[in-house]
Every structure is written in structure tokens, then in C-alpha cells.
Amino acid sequence: MMKVKHPKKRNYRQRAHSNPLSDHSFEYPNSPGVMDWNKLYPTFKQGDEIKFCDVGCGYGGLLVTLSTMFPDKFMVGFEIRVKVSDYVNDRFLALRQEDEAYHNAGVIRTNAMKYLPNFFRKGQLEKMFILYPDPHFKKCKHKWRIVSEGLLAEYAYVLQVGGLAYTVSDVKEVHD
């Protein structure tokens, strides 16, 4: 078996923060029905759907773990930072060369605060993960928070009835 070269985080240096309200240039579908998931998933077939979403997936650690725990579920990570999303994409390409178990996970560089409903139809997701979101302590930056009352309606829209949104924070104010 050929030795697969895995990407190194140090080659994907990126600032820790990105302004989610600025006008980055993102590619996103006009509606969930026109999204071509085959670009991300080699085994995606007609009728398949994404069921898990990791918002702000960072370097993809949760997706790597979940992809082997739930091999029959397709999952996507959303990451706003260019080099970090490039790293996660390269990571999955390398993992897939070693093991088919990672066929069901991928990453998209996008802004979940703006474009989440463009990717998922109403009630599509079983699980959504938002782990350690940036707390944006300054009051003037609270509008940048990915966990906010204004975005709860977006999350409820894409989650199926009985679906779960997992949030984890080490900042009490964000958790509450």
C-alpha cells in the first residue's frame, strides 16, 4: 500500500478570527435543490442527503471522528477561514486514500450566518454541532456571534423535528 502524505497544520497558517459580516466571496447554491454534493462526496448518490452539520468546524477533528461512528450518514463542516477549510479538505482527501470510511464527510468554505438555508431544506438535518464558538466578548461584536437569538430560527428551520443542536462553550455567557 502506498504511503499517503497527510497535510500539516503548520502549512495552513490562518488568523484565528474572521469577520462573518464582511463581504467575502463565497460560492453557494441559490437553493438546497441545486447544490451539487457530488463534488465533496465520492459516493453521494441521487436521494442521499446531508444529515449532520458542524458549523465552524475548525480543523475537522469532530468530522473525522463522526464519519467513522456514523458511516451511513453524510456530514459537512462549514468553515469561514480559507486556509483552515483548505486544510480540512486536504485532510479528507488523504484519509480517503487510506480508508473508504471517510467517504461521508467533507468541508465547505462558507458563512453559516448568511447562507445556511441555501444548503439545507427545511427539516433536513438530524444533528448540528457548534463547538467552542468565538465568544466575541466586546458588546459591539456580539452581532458576530454564531450562537445568538437571531440565528436560532435559522437552526430550527434546517433541523428536523426531534433533531439536536449541540453547543459547547467554555464561556458561561455564551452557553447561557
Side-chain angles (χ1 to χ4, degrees), residues 75-120:
M75 55 197 72
V76 67
F78 284 175
E79 179 56 51
I80 197 168
R81 297 170 293 168
V82 179
K83 291 183 180 180
V84 176
S85 61
D86 288 346
Y87 169 82
V88 178
N89 186 53
D90 292 346
R91 184 177 185 185
F92 277 114
L93 291 174
L95 287 168
R96 288 175 186 156
Q97 288 179 7
E98 289 180 337
D99 189 343
E100 290 179 13
Y102 300 100
H103 73 281
N104 60 337
V107 65
I108 295 176
R109 179 179 177 261
T110 194
N111 185 341
M113 289 177 75
K114 292 183 178 181
Y115 306 118
L116 191 70
N118 292 69
F119 289 94
F120 307 115

Side-chain angles (χ1 to χ4, degrees), residues 143-159:
K143 62 187 174 212
W144 291 11
R145 289 181 173 175
I146 192 72
V147 178
S148 66
E149 286 186 35
L151 290 171
L152 290 178
E154 300 281 333
Y155 303 148
Y157 178 82
V158 298
L159 280 169

Side-chain angles (χ1 to χ4, degrees), residues 49-64:
E49 285 190 321
I50 306 302
K51 291 297 181 181
F52 298 175
C53 180
D54 185 3
V55 176
C57 69
Y59 290 95
L62 179 66
L63 291 170
V64 169

